[in-house]
Amino acid sequence: METIEPNAASFKEAERTGWSEKAPVYDDFAGRITAGAVGPLLDAIGLQPDVAFLDICCGTGALAAEAARRGADVTAIDFAAPMVAEAERRFPGIAFAHGDAEALDFPDGSFDAAACGFGVLHLADPDRALMEAHRVLRSGGRYAFTVWKGPPDHDFFRLVGEAIAAHGATVELPPAPPMFRFADPDEARRAMEAAGFADVTVRELPLVWAIDGPRDVLAYVEKCTMRIAMVLDRQTEDARARIHAAIFDGATAFRRGDGYEVAWPAILAAGRKR
Ligand SMILES: C[S@@+](CC[C@H](N)C(=O)[O-])C[C@H]1O[C@@H](n2cnc3c(N)ncnc32)[C@H](O)[C@@H]1O
C-alpha cells in the first residue's frame, strides 16, 4: 500500500484550522451527538447552582449553556476563534473566551468544577490538559471529560476505518496521540489519577446518532471530521470515490425501522481534586 507524507505543520495547528472551518456546521453534525453527553457530564461533577464552572474546549457552547441554565457561574474557553464566536452568537450573556486547554489562563484554584466535552481526544498533550484542569480547580472541585469509544463498538469509526483500510492509501498524519487512547477505561482512569484526581469513575455512555439515511454519514465524514478529513484529502480522486461508496453501502446496515441509527458510544471519566 502506498504511504503519503503529512502536509500539516503540526497536529495542533491542523486541529485549530479544522475546527475553525467547521464551526458554522458543527451543530448540524457533531453537536447533535455531543448534546447527549451534556447532562451526564454535569451530573458527573454534581454541578450545583452558584458554583464557578469552567467549560474547556467549549465548541459552540451547549455544555456551558446548560451549566448556566442550572445556575452555575460559567466561563467557557476554546482555541478556535470561530467556535467562540458561534458560541457567543448562540448563547449571549455567557463568558466565552479564546483559550488553550493545555495552558489555561486562570490562577490556581479558580473554579469549583470543570468539564471537557469531547476535547481531550483532540489535544496534542492531553496529560498536560488534565493537569491544567486539576490546577485551576479548588480543593474538592470536580472535573469530568468525555471521549468517543473507538471501533469495533463505534459504528461510524468502524465503518469509515474499514472503508479507508480497504480502498485508500496509508497517510502519515502529523504526529499526535492515539485518538482512542482514553476509550480504554483503564487508561482514562490512569491518566486522571496521574493528573492528581481522586475518586475516579469511568463509565460508558451509549449515545446514538439518529439520521435519515446513508447520505448523512457521508456528509458527516466530509463536513465534521478532523483526522479522517486529513486522510481523505490526501487520497486520489479514484480512491476517495471508492471509500465514499464503501461508506455509503456500509451505512445501509444502520437501518432501524423507518429511520437509521448509528451507535456512537462515549466514555465519561470523572474525578475530584483532593
Ligand atoms: C469535538 S469539539 C467539542 C466541542 C464541545 N465541547 C462539544 O462537546 O460539542 C472539540 C473542540 O475542542 C477545541 N479544541 C481543540 N484543541 C483545543 C485546545 N488545545 N484548547 C482549546 N480548545 C481546543 C476545538 O476547537 C473544538 O471546538
Side-chain angles (χ1 to χ4, degrees):
M1 189 184 272
E2 185 193 356
T3 297
I4 300 171
E5 296 298 319
N7 64 346
S10 77
F11 173 69
K12 190 165 182 170
E13 277 319 303
E15 286 272 334
R16 192 200 306 269
T17 305
W19 288 116
S20 297
E21 290 168 0
K22 287 160 178 52
V25 297
Y26 185 81
D27 290 317
D28 297 332
F29 295 95
R32 284 175 55 193
I33 308 165
T34 63
V38 163
L41 271 168
L42 297 180
D43 292 345
I45 55 173
L47 192 84
Q48 299 293 318
D50 298 324
V51 302
F53 168 72
L54 177 64
D55 178 359
I56 304 166
C57 302
C58 65
T60 53
L63 180 68
E66 176 59 15
R69 199 192 64 77
R70 293 189 187 192
D73 177 10
V74 178
T75 304
I77 65 105
D78 198 286
F79 81 160
M83 282 290 190
V84 175
E86 187 63 21
E88 284 171 334
R89 190 188 65 75
R90 291 182 73 204
F91 304 111
I94 293 179
F96 293 104
H98 186 265
D100 186 345
E102 295 166 353
L104 292 171
D105 197 12
F106 304 103
D108 297 1
S110 301
F111 297 96
D112 301 303
C116 179
F118 304 101
V120 170
L121 71 164
H122 292 288
L123 301 176
D125 192 346
D127 297 297
R128 168 139 297 281
L130 295 186
M131 285 190 281
E132 278 292 271
H134 185 268
R135 181 184 65 74
V136 301
L137 283 176
R138 65 158 171 81
S139 175
R142 296 192 65 85
Y143 168 72
F145 72 76
T146 44
V147 292
W148 302 126
K149 272 196 97 179
D153 301 346
H154 195 293
D155 279 344
F156 176 83
F157 289 122
R158 186 192 66 246
L159 173 61
V160 174
E162 287 174 356
I164 291 171
H167 303 288
T170 301
V171 172
E172 295 284 334
L173 295 179
M179 184 167 167
F180 298 117
R181 173 180 162 199
F182 300 109
D184 172 0
D186 292 338
E187 180 60 7
R189 175 185 302 279
R190 193 205 61 72
M192 285 285 280
E193 289 173 351
F197 289 103
D199 303 336
V200 175
T201 58
V202 182
R203 72 178 180 98
E204 184 171 333
L205 297 179
L207 302 181
V208 171
W209 185 37
I211 56 173
D212 293 333
R215 244 171 240 301
D216 292 343
V217 177
L218 278 181
Y220 195 113
V221 167
E222 190 192 330
K223 293 191 192 295
C224 212
T225 60
M226 204 57 55
R227 295 188 221 204
I228 292 167
M230 286 191 241
V231 170
L232 290 180
D233 274 357
R234 309 295 317 277
Q235 306 294 331
T236 63
E237 242 175 71
D238 194 41
R240 200 162 39 243
R242 279 184 279 123
I243 293 167
H244 282 174
I247 292 171
F248 188 93
D249 287 350
T252 59
F254 301 149
R255 177 144 213 148
R256 302 282 178 275
D258 290 341
Y260 289 75
E261 288 183 357
V262 186
W264 207 289
I267 292 288
L268 191 165
R272 179 183 59 81
K273 182 168 178 172
R274 289 188 173 82

